[in-house]
Amino acid sequence: MTLRIGVDTGGTFTDVCALDEQTGRLYVRKVPSTPDDPGRAIVTGVSQLLDEIGGRDLGEVGYFAHGTTVGTNALLTGRGARTGLLTTAGFRDLLELGRGRRPSLYDLQAAKPAPLVPRDLRLEVDERVRHDGRIERALDEDQVRALARRLREQRVEAVAVCFLYSFAEPGHERVAERILAEELPGVHVSVSSAVLPEFREYERLSTVVVNAYLGPVVARYLARLRTRLSELGLRATPHVTQSNGGIIPFETAERMPSRMVLSGPSTGVVGAAGIARAAGYPDIITFDVGGTSSDVSLVRDGVPKAASGTEIDGRPVRAPMLDIHTVGAGGGSIAWIDAGGALKVGPGSAGADPGPACYGRGTEPTVTDANVVLRILNPEYLLDGQMRIDAGAARAAVSTVAGPLGMDVLDAAQGIIRVVTANMARAIRVISVQRGYDPRDYVLVPFGGAGPLHAVRLARELGMRTVLVPETPGAQCAAGLLMTDIRADFLRTRICRLDPDTVDTVDAVAGVFGELAAAAGAWLAEENIPAERRRTERFAEMRYAGQNHELPVPVPEGGITADTIGQLIKRFAAEHERMYGYSSAEEEVQVVTFRLRAVGEVARAELHRTVPGDPDASAAVRARREVYLPESGGFTDCPVYDRRLLEPGHRIAGPAVVEQMDTTTLLLPGDVAVVDELRNLVVTVGR
């Protein structure tokens, strides 16, 4: 079994990568996504790729990993399971009340997202646990059984359980879980003490409800896909990506779908970090542009920045994840004119069906259509001829916004590019400038089908000097699946004052991390990870006493001692200084939540290096094309390079276009690109 396969399902295309471990060769295939049944495109893409590389079969595949947006899409479209909720008496409406802050402070008509559980399915249980874990009122088991039967009559498919302070004492939730399993066989049950044993009641409630709401949808999808792959001959255990960038088996993922909301984008970040680190660029900003959105993330010292949660459609989801910011700015994003007559792009998208007008079915103007009109994209075909392009339809679509704006079609198309570039730049400023990082200190790594197309213009907008385009950027998320490890995060809230001179502090911190380490060890054993491939990473979420937000701080390796506590306090002060501009040696420091990441290292795709040769790249020029570039005054004669023919050492001066099966890279006047020993295209951006 010498083949390793990674599959990423996007809004427009499904990408399949296969690595032959014997030859080290990477194969890539893109097929149109099938939103009604994503598994159909996966099976099609895998079958086509296996045929392409010599009629291989799935029995030869020793590793199969998948990044999916099924759970996220179900949440955004409201197509999750019919869900019930059991909660502590008096807290039935917390799901709807949320936090006191208003996202749109001055909008009196701002619409809040509809609760995932209607009020008649939110049932109260007579029980109460205090903040310190003491039981004030014991659980009424007969009442829970009666409420379970009531939910059964309502034909719920899933039930969430969230009792007050269950992160401190989970006993009541565990009893309720057992009763629900007895009374509601076949119904998905999620309890907050298992999904998120962390304080902040509303976020914990929202997360466990999302987990229950998505549970049956994700479980059905993964079970059906697992069956299809097995019938086709797959013998390896299929894995799926989590939001934290790690992978877990399908069966494990079915129990925790809330940890998969960023399943697709996370592997692209992991893969890009590995490639850039090997190329000598540990500090990067990743820029993943697909058909529907742009996902951006910051990597520092070769390690992707992590986050403890996100908000999707106004609903908090707390789960270990990579810090990825998403905006509706992709190749399929639709251009439109607002009530004030201004040109806007996104967040609406043409998606895979009907797709951009140039694909032959859509009629609305998209970013892809604008690039076809400007002839940056090949006006005849994409995907090495697999997809024909209708340039006339693209021009007609863009003219629908050009007319009302009083512009010709070319200027309107360029306007669409400028607007979407500004949207992308705004997203990058969120994860860099707004968090204390200067994007000019980082290398931009674009991927996704449209990332390299917009990269140099975006770099100019942000003052970034270097762009690194990977060898297979259009399928980077799928390729990243071949470079990621099995991973799980364990956490526990326990507020603890840090004092290096107090034995109680050392014992308390060591005790919590000991409990987490035991849970992590059991999980690694269950996943059959050999001892030599196991490792753990520890973090403490810390704050000054009285603060309402915490900062994650890495915990030094080794046993917990007074010196460890002292180092933690110093690291926290430095991080607080970087984030907020000050620190205070007099203030009491607390650990609020303890986190431990368990990693099972897997054999991964190796990056092959080639000694750079002659800089003359003229042999890779396969055509010339007139491209509309305002930077050089209008239509400009540009060489079109075939990326497959570019070898390490080749040098290209802009303006130029580099085409490959999965994407197109644009170089503007003043840009210089060199193919490095890993076959990355390293662009020095002109001023």
Side-chain angles (χ1 to χ4, degrees):
M1 295 193 290
T2 61
L3 286 177
R4 297 165 57 83
I5 288 182
V7 181
D8 177 62
T9 301
T12 306
F13 289 103
T14 293
D15 303 329
V16 184
C17 279
L19 175 75
D20 188 323
E21 292 182 316
Q22 286 187 334
T23 65
R25 186 173 175 184
L26 187 69
Y27 301 87
V28 178
R29 186 78 176 181
K30 293 176 82 76
V31 297
S33 293
T34 49
D36 60 312
D37 179 10
R40 194 168 72 249
I42 292 172
V43 171
T44 299
V46 169
S47 299
Q48 290 181 1
L49 189 62
L50 291 173
D51 288 342
E52 180 183 316
I53 59 180
R56 311 281 286 271
D57 63 68
L58 271 174
E60 299 178 63
V61 175
Y63 173 91
F64 186 99
H66 173 35
T68 177
T69 57
V70 166
T72 311
N73 292 342
L75 185 60
L76 293 173
T77 59
R79 295 178 181 172
R82 180 172 171 80
T83 304
L85 170 66
L86 296 186
T87 190
T88 302
F91 290 83
R92 173 187 188 185
D93 294 319
L94 179 60
L95 188 65
E96 208 157 349
L97 292 171
R99 291 283 176 191
R101 60 179 179 267
R102 295 173 61 92
S104 303
L105 187 60
Y106 300 106
D107 186 354
L108 299 180
Q109 281 74 44
K112 294 179 67 175
L116 299 179
V117 182
R119 196 168 193 272
D120 63 317
L121 295 181
R122 304 198 299 258
L123 308 180
E124 296 183 342
V125 177
D126 189 28
E127 68 84 41
R128 191 60 181 262
V129 174
R130 298 295 297 270
H131 69 282
D132 56 4
R134 288 182 293 119
I135 296 175
E136 181 174 299
R137 192 158 57 246
L139 180 72
D140 185 338
E141 296 188 26
D142 291 336
Q143 183 192 27
V144 173
R145 202 169 292 278
L147 294 176
R149 291 167 182 164
R150 201 166 135 192
L151 291 173
R152 183 173 61 200
E153 292 170 1
Q154 294 290 329
R155 300 181 182 278
V156 298
E157 300 172 86
V159 180
V161 181
C162 186
F163 294 153
L164 199 65
Y165 294 115
S166 61
F167 64 87
E169 171 46 65
H172 286 179
E173 285 195 350
R174 290 172 181 167
V175 172
E177 182 181 25
R178 173 179 55 78
I179 293 172
L180 288 167
E182 293 169 358
E183 296 290 338
L184 299 169
V187 170
H188 180 95
V189 178
S190 292
V191 299
S192 71
S193 54
V195 173
L196 186 67
E198 189 175 304
F199 81 148
R200 293 200 172 97
E201 201 68 21
Y202 170 57
E203 286 76 11
R204 185 158 54 90
L205 172 62
S206 175
T207 301
V208 73
V209 166
V210 167
N211 198 76
Y213 183 76
L214 299 180
V217 175
V218 171
R220 283 195 296 265
Y221 166 70
L222 293 179
R224 190 165 58 244
L225 179 58
R226 189 169 68 242
T227 300
R228 283 178 173 175
L229 294 171
S230 177
E231 290 172 348
L232 289 172
L234 181 68
R235 296 194 294 273
T237 300
H239 289 74
V240 67
T241 321
Q242 300 177 95
S243 303
N244 64 6
I247 56 170
I248 51 175
F250 276 20
E251 293 184 41
T252 306
E254 291 165 17
R255 299 194 297 270
M256 290 286 185
S258 63
R259 297 193 176 187
M260 294 168 54
V261 292
L262 294 179
S263 171
S266 65
T267 50
V269 176
V270 171
I275 290 169
R277 187 169 57 245
Y281 302 100
D283 297 334
I284 64 171
I285 291 175
T286 66
F287 174 52
D288 177 7
V289 186
T292 304
S293 63
S294 294
D295 302 311
V296 298
S297 187
L298 186 139
V299 176
R300 187 173 174 82
D301 296 328
V303 180
K305 299 294 288 183
S308 57
T310 189
E311 194 171 277
I312 298 179
D313 197 24
R315 299 181 178 92
V317 178
R318 295 276 294 183
M321 58 183 61
L322 299 187
D323 188 6
I324 297 173
H325 184 65
T326 302
V327 292
S333 294
I334 297 169
W336 54 286
I337 300 172
D338 70 7
L343 177 64
K344 303 285 187 179
V345 179
S349 173
D353 187 10
C358 62
Y359 289 0
R361 294 193 302 272
T363 57
E364 295 182 284
T366 68
V367 174
T368 297
D369 294 312
N371 278 306
V372 169
V373 168
L374 298 171
R375 297 174 62 84
I376 300 170
L377 280 178
N378 193 310
E380 298 177 4
Y381 61 83
L382 292 178
L383 305 180
D384 273 351
Q386 297 175 47
M387 174 179 284
R388 304 304 301 178
I389 289 297
D390 188 339
R395 191 176 183 87
V398 173
S399 69
T400 63
V401 293
L405 291 170
M407 306 170 73
D408 65 29
V409 174
L410 286 171
D411 287 338
Q414 187 60 39
I416 291 171
I417 301 303
R418 285 178 177 146
V419 171
V420 80
T421 301
N423 293 345
M424 294 165 175
R426 193 157 49 245
I428 286 182
R429 290 188 181 103
V430 168
I431 55 100
S432 58
V433 177
Q434 292 185 18
R435 297 177 189 175
Y437 302 102
D438 189 338
R440 293 173 297 183
D441 297 333
Y442 291 78
V443 169
L444 186 66
V445 180
F447 51 94
L453 198 61
H454 298 272
V456 292
R457 283 196 167 117
L458 180 61
R460 278 171 162 77
E461 180 89 7
L462 294 164
M464 302 176 75
R465 307 303 308 151
T466 306
V467 173
L468 185 147
V469 184
E471 185 178 8
T472 56
Q476 178 62 41
C477 287
L481 285 160
L482 305 178
M483 305 175 67
T484 191
D485 294 316
I486 295 174
R487 186 178 304 177
D489 289 84
F490 300 83
L491 56 94
R492 186 159 303 162
T493 288
R494 188 171 298 174
I495 299 175
C496 175
R497 176 175 177 268
L498 287 190
D499 183 350
D501 299 324
T502 305
V503 175
D504 289 347
T505 296
V506 175
D507 290 344
V509 173
V512 178
F513 276 125
E515 294 170 8
L516 296 178
W523 178 80
L524 289 166
E526 184 181 326
E527 297 297 331
N528 297 314
I529 305 298
E532 66 274 12
R533 291 192 172 183
R534 300 180 186 181
R535 62 182 172 86
T536 58
E537 302 164 0
R538 300 177 298 185
F539 300 87
E541 294 198 350
M542 301 171 64
R543 68 183 184 187
Y544 289 121
Q547 286 185 320
N548 197 37
H549 296 284
E550 303 80 46
L551 293 174
V553 177
V555 178
E557 295 182 0
I560 303 297
T561 64
D563 183 60
T564 307
I565 303 300
Q567 289 185 57
L568 265 180
I569 294 172
K570 290 179 182 178
R571 291 183 179 188
F572 169 71
E575 180 64 8
H576 200 281
E577 181 85 35
R578 188 199 63 78
M579 188 71 178
Y580 299 115
Y582 77 97
S583 60
S584 178
E586 296 77 27
E587 295 290 334
E588 176 185 320
V589 178
Q590 296 175 334
V591 174
V592 175
T593 300
F594 297 77
R595 296 182 181 274
L596 186 143
R597 178 177 301 149
V599 178
E601 296 175 346
V602 300
R604 62 188 67 200
E606 294 294 331
L607 298 174
H608 295 276
R609 299 178 184 270
T610 305
V611 177
D614 189 346
D616 182 11
S618 58
V621 176
R622 68 179 181 190
R624 302 193 72 87
R625 186 161 72 233
E626 292 283 318
V627 178
Y628 187 79
L629 298 175
E631 293 84 355
S632 55
F635 276 109
T636 305
D637 180 49
C638 294
V640 179
Y641 290 85
D642 186 337
R643 180 78 187 261
R644 292 171 299 188
L645 302 179
L646 290 175
E647 296 293 336
H650 279 169
R651 181 180 183 276
I652 302 171
V657 174
V658 180
E659 291 185 346
Q660 58 192 101
M661 188 280 291
D662 54 339
T663 194
T664 297
T665 302
L666 172 67
L667 301 180
L668 293 174
D671 296 340
V672 176
V674 175
V675 183
D676 73 3
E677 60 183 1
L678 295 173
R679 295 185 176 272
N680 300 308
L681 205 58
V682 182
V683 183
T684 300
V685 179
R687 294 188 180 277

